[in-house]
């Protein structure tokens, strides 16, 4: 029996040791694909407000760190160098503003470039290389903004594919998302990205099909007239219904304890609770904890669902509360009536509760370049000039009066 145990141990031992060994050959995946001798670009399209992941698909095995370069147009002298040598790290997309610079919205992880809340202005060429000027792999990124939001009542107004003599414009739809709520009416979304089909595309850009490219790609010749046009992505939204998975049974003792403590354990079991306080008359962006851009995410205020058919960004330009394509809940600005509990759903399951507290802001530390500070400084400077002018005028008048008095006294004598 002892020999059998020893034999089993020695047969399993290599497996156990390999489970604890550092994966030394993890970088060999880059050596399997040789870098192109002539730098070409993969054409990819993304929806705005999403998190973009650009992997460096090839690099020499001896290269242990990469630098990403960004150019709006190939050959442009305005090149941005994206490197994490200074410890760039971003954890939550809610901490990233839409108007912030590209250098404050990226992270490099395992040689891949991650761009948070990508915007239309981020479209361009991204090249993976080294600080010494070696280039390994490139992407031509087209970030598309939603131009049309389609609901069941306006699906007939969908823009059909447009044909021209040299190219064809069409919409490539992704699959429908999961129903974003369960046991109550929810919504599903489907993204459609704009693409061009033509045999006259630039050969330096490659995609799954040699005759197709995103509408905003540099592979599309300028003479097609698609740059800066109204072509873009579209978003379809439809209603759906799904059943929640069965909840685990709770013992009678736990039910009695929850009832005694007046805690609704059945309604929010497994839901994380977050507390947040924010001053009035300032903008706020809420992000569902654990949500990813490709997930189906929904928001409720208390028991009231915030449906995309009412709160989707762009439906009403005067709307103060809206949800963007990245599933962020915006308040512009926050008001006292916005306080309360906000629930978010991820992939059809209730995920988190955010208890938002709103308070009146009695004062805040102002910066020197704030409009109020500039106005106050300008007023103080104007008052100072006025007081100085009055003082100088008073001294001048007194001086003249003294001279006249002296002359009068001399004449009398």
């Amino acid at each position: 029996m002892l020999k059998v145990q020893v034999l089993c141990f020695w047969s399993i031992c290599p497996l156990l040791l390999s489970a604890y060994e550092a994966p030394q050959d993890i970088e060999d995946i880059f050596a399997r694909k040789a870098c192109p001798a002539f730098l070409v670009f993969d054409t990819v399209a993304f929806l705005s407000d999403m998190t973009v992941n650009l992997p460096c698909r090839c690099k020499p095995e001896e290269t242990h760190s990469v630098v990403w370069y960004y150019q709006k147009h190939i050959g442009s002298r305005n090149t941005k160098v994206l490197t994490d040598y200074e410890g760039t790290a971003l954890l939550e997309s809610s901490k990233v503003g839409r108007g912030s610079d590209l250098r404050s919205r990226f992270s490099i992880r395992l040689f891949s470039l991650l761009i948070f809340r990508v915007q239309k202005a981020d479209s361009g060429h991204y090249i993976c290389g080294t600080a010494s000027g070696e280039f390994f792999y490139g992407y031509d990124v087209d970030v598309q903004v939603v131009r049309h939001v389609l609901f069941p009542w306006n699906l007939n107004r969908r823009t059909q594919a447009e044909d021209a003599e040299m190219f064809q414009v069409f919409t490539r739809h992704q699959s429908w998302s999961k129903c974003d709520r369960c046991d109550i009416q929810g919504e599903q979304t489907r993204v459609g990205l704009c693409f061009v089909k033509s045999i006259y595309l630039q050969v330096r850009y490659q995609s799954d099909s040699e005759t197709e490219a995103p509408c905003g790609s540099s592979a599309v010749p300028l003479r097609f007239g698609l740059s800066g046009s109204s072509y873009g992505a579209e978003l379809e939204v439809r209603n759906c219904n799904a059943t929640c998975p069965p909840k685990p049974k709770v013992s009678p003792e736990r039910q009695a304890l929850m009832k005694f403590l007046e805690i609704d354990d059945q309604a929010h079991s497994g839901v994380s609770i977050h507390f947040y306080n924010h001053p009035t008359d300032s903008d706020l962006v809420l992000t569902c904890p654990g949500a990813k851009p490709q997930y189906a995410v929904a928001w409720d205020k208390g028991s009231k669902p915030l449906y995309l058919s009412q709160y989707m960004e762009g439906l009403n330009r005067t709307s103060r509360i809206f949800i963007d394509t990245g599933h962020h809940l915006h308040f512009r600005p926050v008001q006292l009536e916005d306080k309360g509990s906000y629930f978010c759903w991820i992939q059809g399951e209730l995920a988190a509760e955010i208890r938002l507290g709103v308070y009146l802001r009695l004062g805040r530390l102002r910066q020197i370049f704030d409009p109020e500070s500039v106005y106050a400084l300008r007023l103080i400077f104007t008052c100072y000039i006025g007081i100085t002018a009055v003082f100088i005028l008073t001294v001048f008048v007194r001086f003249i009066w003294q001279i006249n008095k002296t002359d009068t006294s001399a004449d009398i004598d």
Side-chain angles (χ1 to χ4, degrees), residues 221-277:
L222 294 177
R223 65 178 182 272
F224 286 5
L226 299 182
S227 59
S229 65
S230 59
Y231 293 102
E234 68 179 26
L235 182 68
E236 290 188 26
V237 182
R238 69 181 184 185
N239 297 331
C240 61
N241 291 280
T243 303
C244 292
K247 298 180 181 179
K249 295 183 178 181
V250 182
S251 62
E253 294 80 6
R254 182 180 177 84
Q255 291 182 353
L257 178 60
M258 294 298 104
K259 185 177 181 180
F260 175 76
L261 297 176
E262 298 182 352
I263 299 177
D264 189 3
D265 184 60
Q266 290 290 333
H268 308 304
S269 59
V271 177
S272 60
I273 301 177
H274 306 264
F275 297 89
Y276 193 78
N277 291 320

Side-chain angles (χ1 to χ4, degrees), residues 111-128:
F111 315 112
S112 298
L113 177 65
L114 276 72
I115 306 175
F116 300 89
R117 300 200 67 180
V118 66
Q119 300 300 307
K120 178 69 175 178
D122 300 330
S123 299
H125 300 81
Y126 293 83
I127 304 173
C128 173

Side-chain angles (χ1 to χ4, degrees), residues 270-274 288-291 343-353:
V271 177
S272 60
I273 301 177
H274 306 264
C288 187
F343 299 93
C344 64
W345 303 69
I346 299 179
Q347 295 292 83
E349 297 183 4
L350 198 59
E353 176 185 359

Side-chain angles (χ1 to χ4, degrees), residues 5 12 204 230 267 283 290 314:
Q5 292 178 349
I12 299 176
R204 192 174 184 180
S230 59
D283 295 346

